Amino acid sequence: MLTDAELVASARSGDRGALSAIYDGYADRLYDLCTSVLRDPEAAFDAMVDAFVLSALELYRLRRPEQLEPWLFALARQQLLGRNMPTGVDEHAEFDGATGKAASDGAGPIVWEAASWFPAKDRILLHLHVRQPLDNQALADALGVSPPHAAALVRDLDEKVERQLSALLVARLASPGCPRMKTLIASEDEAHPDKWLRQVARHVDVCNTCSFWREGQPNPLRLIAKVPAEPAPPEVRDEVLDRVDLLWSVLGPPEWTAAVLGQSPPAIAPRTTTTATDAPGAAASGTADEPT
């Protein structure tokens, strides 16, 4: 089996078979990220396809071909950040799918819905680090930040998600007998669920009764990780590759494009620090992500 670096080298010269292998290796994972974040199959498909087609055209920009994985996720992140992400989307994967159950006494669907209440950057980071097998360096490359910065972002987001979503599970599943919690439940704001969730979490933080019930709730991050992945629709594989063929026939494969632009692909360099060329997600966001 060819390595990612070998596949990139072949695809740069216009090898459709190498490009097909790259697609087969990453399409399902990219689609799962897009559909987990957007909760809209059509929008997720468009984002995944656009990211893959863009990668096929810009392979000459990838300085370190062995880092194809984080580069593809950086491109997908860039596509997601450029799309409208409505807050409060309750559509989710089938929880009793072939890969197992994600629900725990109804907690799985509750947590999955609430994950769509977070800001766009948080949602992307959440699904990148919880649902994708990326190590800290690869995650940092996908985000366009240093590994220590990526670790800090993950730590802050994990604390935020666990705190807020465990409080939500108290509101949804427990019966703490707390008058204030009953008032909060009755006043849920469907138009602004993120604001309402923060109110619930602040209450649980200081309420002895509700905080006791929080301790027995399942871990929200584990529930999110266990939701069955949605594979890319198999019927679109040839459509995507045909689109790349058409673009290559007009623009030429990446090596030809690089030569025309006077930017011949450099040799594989040792992994050092992430650059804007290797991490398009950084350019898309303008600045490095900060905790929210």
Side-chain angles (χ1 to χ4, degrees):
M1 180 179 294
L2 296 179
T3 65
D4 279 355
E6 291 168 334
L7 289 173
V8 169
S10 296
R12 277 175 169 166
S13 65
D15 184 344
R16 192 180 194 274
L19 188 67
S20 299
I22 292 173
Y23 179 90
D24 292 339
Y26 289 102
D28 286 349
R29 291 176 60 194
L30 293 174
Y31 183 74
D32 179 63
L33 171 66
C34 293
T35 194
S36 295
V37 171
L38 296 174
R39 308 294 175 89
D40 180 334
E42 291 187 6
F45 166 71
D46 288 342
M48 184 273 287
V49 169
D50 287 350
F52 187 80
V53 171
L54 181 62
S55 74
L57 296 178
E58 299 203 342
L59 279 173
Y60 69 91
R61 294 182 181 274
L62 181 57
R63 288 181 176 274
R64 299 188 291 277
E66 74 276 13
Q67 290 188 262
L68 174 65
E69 178 189 50
W71 187 70
L72 288 173
F73 279 104
L75 286 170
R77 177 176 178 271
Q78 178 180 356
Q79 292 297 320
L80 291 170
L81 288 171
R83 283 169 162 76
N84 179 45
M85 291 190 203
T87 299
V89 182
D90 61 2
E91 293 186 11
H92 52 73
E94 180 59 53
F95 280 83
D96 295 322
T99 57
K101 296 184 178 181
S104 176
D105 295 329
I110 293 171
V111 165
W112 188 249
E113 175 187 354
S116 72
W117 298 354
F118 291 101
K121 286 186 178 180
D122 284 355
R123 285 157 67 172
I124 296 171
L125 176 58
L126 175 65
H127 293 294
L128 270 176
H129 93 85
V130 172
R131 295 179 60 79
Q132 299 299 328
L134 298 172
D135 61 27
N136 190 51
Q137 178 67 60
L139 179 60
D141 291 339
L143 297 176
V145 299
S146 67
H149 192 171
L153 290 172
V154 167
R155 182 181 62 251
D156 291 345
L157 181 61
D158 283 356
E159 292 175 356
K160 173 182 174 180
V161 169
E162 290 182 354
R163 170 179 167 268
Q164 294 191 8
L165 296 193
S166 63
L168 177 64
L169 292 178
V170 172
R172 289 277 195 265
L173 300 178
S175 300
C178 169
R180 174 57 181 161
M181 177 60 81
K182 292 180 180 179
T183 300
L184 285 170
I185 294 172
S187 64
E188 180 173 349
D189 186 352
E190 295 183 359
H192 303 93
D194 51 332
K195 295 180 180 179
W196 175 80
L197 178 59
R198 290 195 292 270
Q199 290 181 319
V200 171
R202 285 195 295 268
H203 167 71
V204 174
D205 288 343
V206 299
C207 176
N208 291 334
T209 301
C210 293
S211 61
F212 171 80
W213 284 91
R214 170 188 263 165
E215 296 175 2
Q217 301 305 321
N219 185 289
L221 295 172
R222 292 177 185 170
L223 291 174
I224 291 172
K226 290 179 181 178
V227 174
E230 295 192 40
E235 66 273 10
V236 304
R237 179 179 183 273
D238 289 338
E239 177 185 339
V240 173
L241 296 174
D242 287 345
R243 187 184 302 183
V244 174
D245 281 343
L246 177 61
L247 291 170
W248 278 2
S249 69
V250 176
L251 302 174
E255 280 187 355
W256 186 89
T257 303
V260 169
L261 297 176
Q263 299 175 349
S264 298
I268 296 176
R271 175 178 285 187
T272 53
T273 58
T274 303
T275 65
T277 299
D278 291 320
S285 60
T287 59
D289 289 318
E290 297 296 342
T292 57

